Amino acid sequence: MSTALSVNLNKIALLRNSREGDFPSVLAHGKICLEAGADGLTVHPRPDQRHIRPSDVYQLAHLVSQHDGIEFNIEGNPFAVAQGSYPGLLQLVEETRPHQCTLVPDSNDQLTSDHGFDLTNSTKELEPIIAKLHQLGVRISLFMDPDPEQIRLASALGVERIELYTGPYAERFNLNSKQTDADLKRYRSAVEVATQCGLEVNAGHDLNLDNLPAFLAIPNIAEVSIGHALTVDALNMGLSQAVRAYRTICQQ
């Protein structure tokens, strides 16, 4: 089973936002990623619009709609309220109908996503949101830590997928081989529990060309979402070649 590669375009948008105008163009670089073989595109719009803006979401949704077999994934905090021209995650999803919506428990002041949902506390809040997304015909993925108990709670919510937060694995990779082996064993067990519960498994956060092959030795990873490392690699090898390098690993 190969793993789908969804390219996260946040860092292209971050660079664009450092100046006036539309350079570099998020839409143009999304096209480059698809032409290079990416299986999908991911965006994570935030209320502060530090990178992806609502206009990017609309443009990329249209772009993906013109390509058969390509998926659009919108990530975000389902509890973030509308702010300025940011209409809220659910409205963006309703207006663009992505293939997948990945719900992430990040606050406005976080630099980046750094933990999964604690469903012992947030289940009741998530239930109406999940029902709404299912009414829209959107596949739902919950951003989760590799915790079997939490994964079982995710399954009980009726979502189709989880996305395993891989930050801790990536941070410790190559620092200590025993720790890396222990991390991989933990993620493997998490994937096995998810599969037994009928959930498909995505993964993401700080995966790169060095640590991705070992992680994808774990069976049944449906999709990885990669942005920061891929953008950094693109500075050295070009965006098209970077996408191809990651996709080669995902196809092996």
Side-chain angles (χ1 to χ4, degrees):
M1 169 184 168
S2 62
T3 299
L5 170 66
S6 186
V7 177
N8 188 316
L9 296 168
N10 287 0
K11 290 301 162 64
I12 302 296
L14 183 69
L15 182 59
R16 187 254 334 259
N17 293 355
S18 67
R19 293 285 185 95
E20 297 290 334
D22 188 37
F23 183 74
S25 165
V26 175
L27 180 63
H29 284 75
K31 291 178 181 178
I32 292 171
C33 292
L34 296 185
E35 291 168 357
D39 301 293
L41 299 176
T42 289
V43 292
H44 188 141
R46 295 173 180 265
D48 61 11
Q49 299 186 53
R50 71 180 78 162
H51 36 62
I52 290 294
R53 299 168 177 163
S55 58
D56 299 319
V57 179
Y58 302 129
Q59 290 177 359
L60 291 168
H62 178 68
L63 169 65
V64 171
S65 72
Q66 298 175 311
H67 293 76
D68 292 336
I70 299 299
E71 291 203 347
F72 189 38
N73 173 45
I74 300 179
E75 300 180 341
N77 180 359
F79 309 124
V81 298
Q83 179 177 315
S85 60
Y86 174 78
L89 180 70
L90 292 185
Q91 184 172 329
L92 280 172
V93 171
E94 184 170 4
E95 293 176 350
T96 58
R97 304 296 175 97
H99 300 82
Q100 177 174 269
C101 180
T102 302
L103 303 181
V104 183
D106 59 352
S107 60
N108 292 349
D109 58 355
Q110 281 182 234
L111 179 63
T112 185
S113 307
D114 60 12
H115 63 281
F117 277 104
D118 178 0
L119 296 179
T120 58
N121 295 320
S122 54
T123 291
K124 288 188 177 181
E125 290 180 291
L126 283 170
E127 285 175 340
I129 294 169
I130 289 170
K132 174 65 174 179
L133 291 172
H134 278 152
Q135 288 175 2
L136 297 174
V138 176
R139 185 174 70 231
I140 303 167
S141 179
L142 293 182
F143 197 66
M144 304 293 295
D145 298 311
D147 181 329
E149 179 182 354
Q150 291 289 329
I151 291 170
R152 293 187 182 97
L153 292 174
S155 175
L157 276 170
V159 301
E160 293 82 5
R161 292 190 182 187
I162 60 169
E163 179 177 336
L164 290 175
Y165 169 52
T166 54
Y169 159 73
E171 182 179 0
R172 294 190 288 255
F173 183 79
N174 275 344
L175 294 179
N176 182 307
S177 59
K178 289 185 178 179
Q179 181 61 61
T180 296
D181 290 343
D183 284 338
L184 288 170
K185 183 177 180 180
R186 183 182 179 203
Y187 281 95
R188 182 182 291 268
S189 295
V191 174
E192 289 173 353
V193 170
T195 302
Q196 291 166 5
C197 291
L199 294 167
E200 292 187 296
V201 180
N202 299 339
H205 204 86
D206 289 341
L207 294 172
N208 58 39
L209 292 174
D210 293 327
N211 61 40
L212 183 60
F215 191 86
L216 290 187
I218 300 172
N220 299 319
I221 303 295
E223 174 188 292
V224 289
S225 175
I226 303 178
H228 180 80
L230 192 151
T231 306
V232 172
D233 288 323
L235 296 176
N236 296 318
M237 63 177 69
L239 182 56
S240 294
Q241 187 58 38
V243 171
R244 293 188 187 103
Y246 279 91
R247 193 168 188 274
T248 295
I249 295 172
C250 290
Q251 295 295 310
Q252 289 176 348

